[in-house]
Amino acid sequence: MPEREPILYVEPLPSSRQWVSQNLAISRTKAVTYVQSLFPIFTWIYRYNWTWFLGDMVAGVTVGVVVIPQGMAYAKLAQLPPEFGLYSSFVGCALYFMFATSKDITIGPVAVMSTLMGNILHDVLPHLPQYKDTPWVIAGCMSLVLGCIVTALGLLRLGFIVDFIPLPAIAAFMTGSALNIAMGQIPTLMGNNSVKGFNTRDPTYLVFGNFFKYIKHCNLNAAVGLTSLFLLYAIRAGCKYSARRWPKREKLFFFISTLRTAFVILLYTLISFLVNRNHRTSPKFSILGVVPRGFKHMQVPTVNSDILSAVAGKLPSAIIVLIIEHISISKSFGRINNYTINPNQELIAIGITNIFGPFFGAYPATGSFSRTAIKSKAGVRTPLAGVITACIVVIAIYALPPVFFYISNALLAAVIIHAVGDLVSTPTAIKMFWRISPFEFVIFWAGVLVSVFSSIDNGIYTTVAASAALLLFRIAKAQGKFVGTVRVVYDQPLAATSSYPESRDIFVPLDHSDGSNPSVTPQHPQGGIFIYRLNEGYLYPNAVYFTDHMTAEVTARTRPGVANPYGSLGNRPWNDPGPRHKDDADVDMSLPVLRAIILDFNGVSNVDITSIQNLVDVRQQLDRYADRAVSWHFAGVKSPWIRRALVAGGFGSSNAATRTVFSVATVGALEHKGDQLLSDVKKANSQGRLLSDEEFISESFTSTQDKPGVANSTSFDTLNLPILSTDHPFFHIDLDEALKAAKLESDIVLKK
């Protein structure tokens, strides 16, 4: 059975117009899809059912019971009256469901954002004395501005920027913030926070020192705070033990543990009522006091140049906290519950929440880790559970203010300390950081220490900047590896019989830097051929580092084409080492002359102008060194844009070379219909396209009885189609093809 000769295939290089049409052109379909993506609720609300409602009802009520005391406690962290925590809780829960891509996340006041808001107010109020009695005006302005910025990031689909903040930076920020918050609440817990000169907003280490300095001023608040904190941890520990001891009742113990905060607050509020009901003006221990009923601070947010100029320097850290806390939590619970969130849409969700929140009196809010975990474990089914939580909060705002009057401030401090304790990284996680990446382990501790000895803001900036510096360093100092061949077969030690299939060549680093067995010695390609593997994107930060390493190794393993290419001593460069007068005796003639460079581009996802120009310069340098045109072969080029860039730099083909080895794919046995099919395939390939399915079927399988002058035939031919473009013979599908092509070309040159 005869075989056809390989058919030429010319790959059309991509154009800028093509890129614009694919990525920037806005079609009607894209516009409709974009608008629909802004309201994910319409993808599931029409399927809502009673089963989902029951799950949402349980989860919504459970979270509502938890968010009420937490919201008031976190408002105190923000240096705002407690009712503002309730307002923020309501707005976050009420609006999120329309824009949500996560069923688990709960938006509302959180410890870290509240502490940061309190620090901001502490810093800017001295410069804005007109808002001393109404600090919520500044908080509302901050919320509106942050909401607009974050919404813009989501609408512009810039959610990917969150991926530039690594896990150690987030862990350091959360741990440092938790330590800062907990230490700031201990004086309130113990009752010595009201001592003159004791500022709980100082850096953590100063608060720690001042606490012991003023420890003699602790009072009855300590009894309330310590016992309530102990009871919170005792209930949680008891429920965990009971769930392990009686696994069939695990759900019951989960709800008991979840509602422990509400139970402890009700218990100690009753105690506070009994102790202080006759001492409302001078209570025995610090209590919350009057909480107004209803939404008493609904208004249009105040935005003016005075507030904006005062808070401008605080916006970056607030944006980072707002984004990374929400996105990291939503992604984490999405992975746990087997669904994917859309970071861009989540940015829009928290942005809209913070835009409309100030109209109800809310301050900046984001996703809460503790309440999200509770909501997830409670069996939430859809984002609509947030509306149920919002209803619970509204009931509390209108019905429970008289009860709130007797809540102890030491008790709220205990609630905060208990909540932020879960944000501290565990020893197991910290140990894992060290085992995976010692550099990031150092970054983690740097962020924690800066948060403790300076502020949360500076801790955030430290970890983000250090992580960015480490990323740039890794890109800039990415080192390629020279690889050699190893002949291998598959070994199946568990198989009944030992049968070895046909052997093949693999390519491993010559220095075994990949952890391969050092007893196995890779074979370096002979005849002046070198295979260099690039392990990162080939871009301007690392282009020179890659090629300097490659050039140094190549020149060390080869001899120059001419011992003294400069002729006279006067033409010789000043920095050329060696004897004063070079001749053939000064050259190691056992070394080969450089003939070919094979670059493994399997790990390269992008190139740029600087890197391609650097490659052109190195090619000219090595051509002069070898006194001949060195062949450059590229294997595993993944993108047509990279091939376009290489072709623009003069790579991929040569006027003096023809392709000697290339890979083809056997399309299959096709019923012979004369030369029409072959002609059509050749024509299509030369135009840079393949036959359409309709054309292929029509030409291949239509009966020839309907074609005058063509006889039926039962013979079959094999059709071979090239994988890569045949007009660029130095682009190869893999290293094996590239090495064979380089060897064959080298042999042809040597024969000449």
Side-chain angles (χ1 to χ4, degrees), residues 172-439:
F173 149 70
M174 300 298 282
T175 300
S177 300
L179 295 175
N180 184 294
I181 294 167
M183 191 64 242
Q185 289 303 301
I186 288 177
T188 303
L189 183 85
M190 302 297 291
N192 63 346
N193 60 311
S194 58
V195 178
K196 185 177 180 180
F198 192 177
N199 183 9
T200 57
R201 297 284 172 179
D202 283 337
T204 306
Y205 78 100
L206 289 178
V207 177
F208 180 80
N210 287 331
F211 168 73
F212 287 100
K213 179 179 179 181
Y214 299 110
I215 196 170
K216 62 182 179 180
H217 296 282
C218 294
N219 51 36
L220 189 58
N221 286 282
V224 177
L226 289 175
T227 55
S228 59
L229 183 61
F230 172 79
L231 189 56
L232 287 169
Y233 278 108
I235 295 175
R236 185 172 73 172
C239 289
K240 283 185 177 180
Y241 172 79
S242 300
R244 292 193 302 267
R245 180 68 175 81
W246 296 284
K248 292 183 179 180
R249 299 180 180 178
E250 181 180 1
K251 198 73 172 178
L252 172 64
F253 292 118
F254 160 73
F255 281 107
I256 294 175
S257 178
T258 298
L259 299 176
R260 64 187 182 276
T261 301
F263 168 74
V264 171
I265 286 183
L266 289 175
L267 174 63
Y268 279 84
T269 301
L270 176 60
I271 295 173
S272 176
F273 170 73
L274 295 175
V275 172
N276 295 311
R277 60 181 175 173
N278 296 321
H279 307 279
R280 290 174 60 93
T281 57
S282 57
K284 298 295 184 181
F285 47 80
S286 177
I287 58 176
L288 203 56
V290 177
V291 176
R293 188 191 305 271
F295 293 90
K296 297 298 184 181
H297 299 280
M298 293 184 67
Q299 60 181 358
V300 176
T302 300
V303 180
N304 55 48
S305 58
D306 292 337
I307 298 177
L308 292 177
S309 59
V311 302
K314 308 292 182 178
L315 289 176
S317 60
I319 292 172
I320 293 174
V321 171
L322 209 65
I323 292 176
I324 65 175
E325 192 163 3
H326 182 94
I327 300 298
S328 61
I329 293 171
S330 57
K331 281 185 175 181
S332 175
F333 281 89
R335 288 190 293 267
I336 292 173
N337 294 306
N338 196 30
Y339 64 87
T340 303
I341 64 111
N342 182 344
N344 296 308
Q345 187 59 31
E346 290 299 313
L347 292 181
I348 294 173
I350 58 176
I352 294 296
T353 298
N354 283 285
I355 288 175
F356 287 97
F359 290 89
F360 293 86
Y363 68 93
T366 187
S368 164
F369 176 80
S370 61
R371 297 194 295 274
T372 299
I374 292 171
K375 191 176 180 182
S376 176
K377 291 180 180 179
V380 64
R381 302 302 297 271
T382 73
L384 202 62
V387 177
I388 299 170
T389 301
C391 293
I392 300 297
V393 174
V394 171
I395 293 173
I397 291 174
Y398 281 95
L400 298 181
V403 178
F404 296 155
F405 180 89
Y406 290 101
I407 293 178
S408 166
N409 284 316
L411 173 60
L412 291 180
V415 170
I416 293 172
I417 294 171
H418 183 65
V420 301
D422 294 331
L423 302 181
V424 178
S425 297
T426 63
T428 302
I430 298 173
K431 183 179 180 181
M432 183 188 69
F433 293 164
W434 170 256
R435 296 186 64 182
I436 295 176
S437 175
F439 287 109

Side-chain angles (χ1 to χ4, degrees), residues 63 67 89 92-93 96 102-108 110 326 329 366-369 371-373 375 389:
V63 174
V67 75
S89 301
C93 294
Y96 176 68
S102 169
K103 69 180 179 65
D104 299 295
I105 199 78
T106 300
I107 294 183
V110 296
H326 182 94
I329 293 171
T366 187
S368 164
F369 176 80
R371 297 194 295 274
T372 299
K375 191 176 180 182
T389 301

Side-chain angles (χ1 to χ4, degrees), residues 30 137 147 250 390 410 458 531 607:
K30 287 183 177 180
V137 173
E250 181 180 1
N458 292 334
I531 306 176
V607 296

